[in-house]
């Protein structure tokens, strides 16, 4: 079975294939982009939570360090009273500097009886002055540490001050505690965790901001300069112990993921806020999508290029194949013309030989008949002159209507009856009248019947029976099979060769001969 690849791989099919591949690639890219974006966002969100926990732990640890420092200072001073408080404060400050700790200790002594006062730090002056209004912001807490806290601003710097007092004899009071620069506190958090895509701040339970990267917000109410609402601090209702949401940063003016979690020690109650910048998440996702687009475009360009090159090579192959096929068809046509001319010449030669062949056989029969029966010889001669008219002008195409050939064979059999009399019986049966309009090779019935007479015995005891039956697709010539024992017949294959060449010329099946029981059967196909 031959396959027409040109039809299968037509230009339209190529374009449809390219469009289908592009469509599939676009869909695949869209799905891949969605999956990558979703997965990247999940990974970045998980990363944001991890940085939040790390930042929170850092803040909580430092607040506990400050608290531990306060407890140590309290324990030393309450142990010795006024004996060594100066030395304790000085030693602790030296240790803190060496250990890079944020808080430093201070003290303020005031004797109401003598009016004597002594301060170790400008921050402690607030305890020696009666007018404290507007100088500091008090921080409320209900922790078990019993330290008092307030924010105080000195020389554009804000400090978080925690203090306690010790009442001494003679109406003397010793104030002592620790102080932390909020600027240093924030810088300390940054140095501990240098993750660039987040920042943190802490505010008290009342909303007072005690640490923030923007100094102007220190000491301000968090609910005034951010969009944090009181319900955002209700973390007890969440399973994870913190709230998470999207907001616009008051510091960077960018979209952030905001985490709020309570920050509670024995001496502090408030909240830690960690803002994770979202544009870094989106930037990471955007880069992934960009790389995916580049890969997609490169793959698509490669696919289209391969298809175009394939289509061009296929088109060139088709053109070359068509050219070769065209030349081949031209050669076949020329060859067929030459073959038909050659066959026509051969048929013409055979046809030219038929008339003399038939005449010589008839004269031989006449010669034999003259010696046997002169009357039959005379009748034979008259019939011969009648039917020979059919032979004078043979058809050019070597085929004639069946009806015309039947009429001729009936006249010819009359000739043979003059010779054989009762030794030969002949019958024509027309089973399909429409077949009379079809055609068969010229003198085909005469050649077959003559062949039957040549090869079989015909006597009164064993007459030769010949029956011609006209069927739908062919003519059946059947004769009794009683072959001669010794025969020397000249040109016995001459007629059969002629018939086969005629049928081959008209692309029909050849003459079919077979032996069935007591009969020899010859089948001649009809030509439309």
């Amino acid at each position: 079975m031959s396959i027409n690849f040109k039809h299968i791989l037509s230009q339209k099919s190529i374009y449809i294939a390219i469009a289908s591949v592009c469509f599939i690639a676009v869909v695949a890219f869209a799905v891949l982009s969605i999956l990558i974006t979703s997965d990247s966002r999940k990974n970045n969100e998980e990363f944001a939570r991890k940085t939040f926990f790390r930042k929170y732990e850092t803040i909580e640890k430092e607040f506990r360090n400050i608290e531990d420092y306060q407890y140590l200072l309290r324990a030393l001073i309450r142990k010795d009273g006024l004996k060594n408080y100066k030395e304790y404060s000085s030693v602790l400050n030296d240790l803190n500097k060496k250990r890079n700790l944020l808080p430093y200790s201070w003290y303020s002594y005031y004797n109401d009886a003598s009016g004597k006062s002594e301060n170790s730090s400008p921050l402690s002056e607030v305890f020696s002055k009666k007018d404290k209004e507007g100088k500091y912001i008090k921080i409320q807490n209900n922790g078990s540490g019993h330290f008092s806290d307030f924010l105080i601003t000195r020389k554009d710097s804000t400090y978080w001050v925690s203090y306690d007092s010790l009442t001494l004899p003679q109406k003397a009071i010793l104030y002592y505690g620790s102080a932390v620069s909020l600027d240093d506190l924030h810088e300390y958090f940054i140095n501990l965790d240098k993750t660039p895509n987040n920042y943190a701040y802490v505010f008290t339970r009342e909303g007072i901001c005690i640490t923030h990267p923007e100094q102007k917000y220190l000491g301000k109410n968090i609910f005034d300069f951010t969009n944090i609402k009181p319900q955002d601090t209700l973390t007890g209702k969440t399973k994870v112990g913190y709230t998470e949401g999207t907001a616009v940063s008051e510091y960077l003016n960018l979209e952030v993921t905001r985490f709020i979690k309570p920050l509670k020690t024995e001496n502090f109650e408030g909240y830690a806020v960690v803002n994770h910048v979202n544009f870094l998440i989106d930037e990471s996702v955007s880069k992934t999508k960009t790389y995916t687009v580049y890969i997609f475009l490169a793959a698509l360009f490669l696919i289209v290029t391969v298809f175009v090159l394939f289509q061009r090579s296929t088109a060139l192959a088709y053109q070359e194949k068509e050219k070769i096929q065209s030349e081949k068809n031209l050669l076949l046509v020329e060859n067929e013309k030459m073959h038909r001319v050659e066959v026509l010449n051969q048929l013409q030669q055979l046809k030219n030989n038929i008339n003399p062949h038939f005449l010589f056989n008839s004269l031989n029969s006449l010669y034999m008949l003259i010696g046997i029966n002169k009357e039959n010889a005379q009748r034979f001669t008259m019939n011969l002159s009648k039917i020979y008219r059919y032979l004078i002008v043979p058809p050019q195409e070597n085929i004639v209507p069946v009806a015309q050939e039947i009429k001729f064979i009936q006249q010819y059999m009359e000739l043979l009856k003059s010779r054989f009399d009762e030794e030969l019986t002949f019958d024509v049966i027309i089973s399909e009248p429409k077949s009379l309009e079809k055609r068969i090779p010229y003198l085909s019935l005469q050649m077959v019947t003559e062949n039957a007479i040549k090869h079989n015995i015909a006597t009164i005891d064993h007459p030769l029976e010949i029956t011609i039956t006209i069927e739908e697709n062919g003519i059946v010539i059947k004769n009794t099979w009683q072959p001669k024992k010794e025969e020397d017949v000249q040109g016995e294959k001459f007629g059969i060769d002629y018939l086969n060449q005629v049928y081959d010329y008209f692309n029909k099946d050849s003459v079919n001969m077979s032996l069935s029981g007591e009969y020899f059967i010859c089948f001649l196909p009809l030509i439309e």
Side-chain angles (χ1 to χ4, degrees):
M1 181 180 68
S2 61
I3 301 176
N4 190 349
F5 289 99
K6 184 175 181 180
H7 177 70
I8 295 175
L9 298 174
S10 62
Q11 189 174 12
K12 182 179 179 181
S13 301
I14 294 293
Y15 291 150
I16 292 175
I18 293 175
S20 301
V21 170
C22 293
F23 175 75
I24 293 172
V26 169
V27 172
F29 165 72
V31 174
L32 180 63
S33 178
I34 292 172
L35 294 176
I36 291 176
T37 301
S38 176
D39 189 61
S40 297
R41 283 196 171 276
K42 288 181 180 178
N43 292 336
N44 282 281
E45 288 171 0
E46 187 63 28
F47 174 74
R49 293 187 186 95
K50 289 181 180 179
T51 57
F52 155 65
F53 287 123
R54 185 167 62 248
K55 184 78 77 174
Y56 177 85
E57 290 172 357
T58 301
I59 295 173
E60 185 182 39
K61 181 180 178 181
E62 186 59 28
F63 269 65
R64 293 194 182 279
N65 287 337
I66 295 173
E67 191 172 86
D68 291 342
Y69 179 83
Q70 293 168 346
Y71 288 153
L72 177 60
L73 180 62
R74 170 190 282 176
L76 292 173
I77 290 180
R78 287 190 176 184
K79 178 182 178 182
D80 294 333
L82 293 176
K83 293 181 180 180
N84 299 307
Y85 69 90
K86 295 180 181 180
E87 288 77 8
Y88 292 151
S89 178
S90 176
V91 170
L92 288 176
N93 286 335
D94 290 339
L95 289 175
N96 282 351
K97 289 179 181 180
K98 293 180 181 180
R99 297 170 58 190
N100 293 323
L101 297 180
L102 294 176
Y104 65 90
S105 63
W106 56 267
Y107 61 87
S108 177
Y109 173 73
Y110 178 73
N111 191 323
D112 191 30
S114 63
K116 181 182 178 180
S117 65
E118 185 178 1
N119 300 312
S120 65
S121 171
L123 295 177
S124 60
E125 293 177 357
V126 68
F127 295 98
S128 62
K129 296 180 180 180
K130 296 180 179 180
D131 186 14
K132 306 181 184 69
E133 194 69 27
K135 301 299 183 180
Y136 63 92
I137 300 173
K138 189 168 183 60
I139 299 176
Q140 302 291 336
N141 68 73
N142 297 322
S144 59
H146 303 295
F147 276 86
S148 298
D149 300 273
F150 63 88
L151 298 181
I152 186 169
T153 302
R154 288 288 187 272
K155 296 180 180 180
D156 297 328
S157 294
T158 303
Y159 298 87
W160 173 24
V161 179
S162 295
Y163 71 95
D164 196 4
S165 63
L166 179 64
T167 302
L168 302 171
Q170 299 178 355
K171 297 182 180 181
I173 300 177
L174 175 65
Y175 293 95
Y176 64 92
S178 63
V180 178
S181 170
L182 297 188
D183 293 333
D184 293 342
L185 182 63
H186 178 70
E187 188 68 24
Y188 178 76
F189 290 151
I190 291 176
N191 291 331
L192 284 180
D193 185 7
K194 295 185 178 181
T195 306
N197 54 337
N198 62 46
Y199 70 94
Y201 55 90
V202 178
F203 63 92
T204 66
R205 188 178 58 182
E206 299 81 22
I208 303 302
C209 181
I210 64 172
T211 175
H212 196 283
E214 189 72 41
Q215 189 179 21
K216 66 180 181 180
Y217 294 134
L218 297 176
K220 300 293 180 63
N221 193 301
I222 201 76
F223 301 114
D224 293 336
F225 64 86
T226 69
N227 57 2
I228 296 177
K229 299 178 181 178
Q231 56 263 34
D232 295 332
T233 63
L234 300 178
T235 58
K237 296 182 179 181
T238 63
K239 294 182 180 180
V240 293
Y242 62 88
T243 60
E244 178 181 349
T246 303
V248 177
S249 169
E250 75 291 338
Y251 174 49
L252 302 174
N253 198 27
L254 296 172
E255 184 183 89
V256 296
T257 299
R258 183 172 61 202
F259 301 90
I260 302 176
K261 187 175 182 178
L263 180 64
K264 187 175 181 179
T265 66
E266 292 182 3
N267 197 50
F268 180 81
E269 289 185 52
Y271 298 91
V273 180
V274 178
N275 287 337
H276 192 91
V277 183
N278 284 344
F279 83 87
L280 295 174
I281 299 177
D282 296 335
E283 184 179 274
S284 176
V285 173
S286 178
K287 286 183 178 179
T288 304
K289 292 173 69 175
T290 301
Y291 296 150
T292 306
V293 170
Y294 289 157
I295 295 173
F296 162 73
L297 292 176
L300 185 61
F301 175 76
L302 181 61
I303 292 172
V304 172
T305 302
V306 170
F307 267 110
V308 171
L309 293 177
F310 176 75
Q311 194 270 344
R312 287 178 61 86
S313 62
T314 305
L316 292 175
Y318 289 153
Q319 293 176 1
E320 187 66 23
K321 184 178 179 180
E322 286 183 349
K323 183 178 179 181
I324 294 173
Q325 188 64 36
S326 177
E327 293 176 352
K328 183 178 179 181
N329 291 338
L330 184 61
L331 291 175
L332 289 175
V333 171
E334 294 296 330
N335 186 51
E336 182 67 20
K337 288 181 179 179
M338 294 176 63
H339 178 69
R340 290 175 69 91
V341 171
E342 182 181 356
V343 171
L344 286 174
N345 291 334
Q346 292 178 355
L347 292 178
Q348 187 63 37
Q349 292 177 3
L350 288 171
K351 188 169 61 177
N352 293 335
N353 292 331
I354 286 174
N355 291 341
H357 181 76
F358 177 74
L359 178 61
F360 294 152
N361 288 338
S362 299
L363 293 177
N364 287 334
S365 299
L366 179 59
Y367 174 77
M368 295 174 61
L369 191 59
I370 290 174
I372 298 173
N373 191 330
K374 293 183 179 180
E375 292 181 0
N376 287 343
Q378 292 176 353
R379 189 165 54 254
F380 182 88
T381 303
M382 292 300 296
N383 287 333
L384 179 60
S385 63
K386 292 178 181 179
I387 67 172
Y388 206 80
R389 297 174 184 174
Y390 185 69
L391 304 175
I392 293 175
V393 184
Q396 293 184 354
E397 294 185 356
N398 301 293
I399 55 174
V400 294
V402 174
Q404 186 175 340
E405 190 71 10
I406 289 295
K407 180 178 179 181
F408 170 76
I409 197 60
Q410 289 175 334
Q411 293 176 347
Y412 176 70
M413 292 306 295
E414 287 295 325
L415 286 179
L416 297 182
K417 291 285 289 182
S418 301
R419 173 183 171 186
F420 293 97
D421 198 8
E422 297 178 359
E423 298 172 358
L424 177 65
T425 63
F426 175 76
D427 191 17
V428 176
I429 301 173
I430 303 177
S431 299
E432 184 62 44
K434 291 184 179 180
S435 297
L436 295 174
E437 300 176 1
K438 298 179 181 179
R439 296 179 292 179
I440 57 174
Y442 175 60
L443 297 179
S444 56
L445 296 180
Q446 185 270 333
M447 292 181 185
V448 175
T449 54
E450 183 182 7
N451 189 62
I453 294 171
K454 286 182 180 180
H455 295 277
N456 292 279
I457 298 172
T459 63
I460 295 176
D461 295 332
H462 299 89
L464 179 62
E465 299 177 4
I466 299 177
T467 304
I468 299 176
T469 304
I470 313 299
E471 296 182 351
E472 181 179 1
N473 296 321
I475 299 176
V476 178
I477 301 96
K478 182 171 69 172
N479 63 270
T480 51
W481 177 246
Q482 39 198 42
K484 297 178 181 179
K485 293 181 180 181
E486 294 182 1
E487 56 181 64
D488 184 15
V489 181
Q490 298 295 328
E492 58 182 276
K493 293 185 179 181
F494 174 79
I496 300 302
D497 291 340
Y498 163 74
L499 295 178
N500 286 333
Q501 288 193 41
V502 173
Y503 281 120
D504 182 63
Y505 180 79
F506 287 98
N507 296 320
K508 296 291 292 184
D509 294 335
S510 301
V511 178
N512 187 6
M513 297 183 183
S514 62
L515 186 63
S516 177
E518 298 179 354
Y519 292 93
F520 181 84
I521 301 173
C522 178
F523 181 80
L524 299 176
L526 296 179
I527 302 173
E528 298 292 337

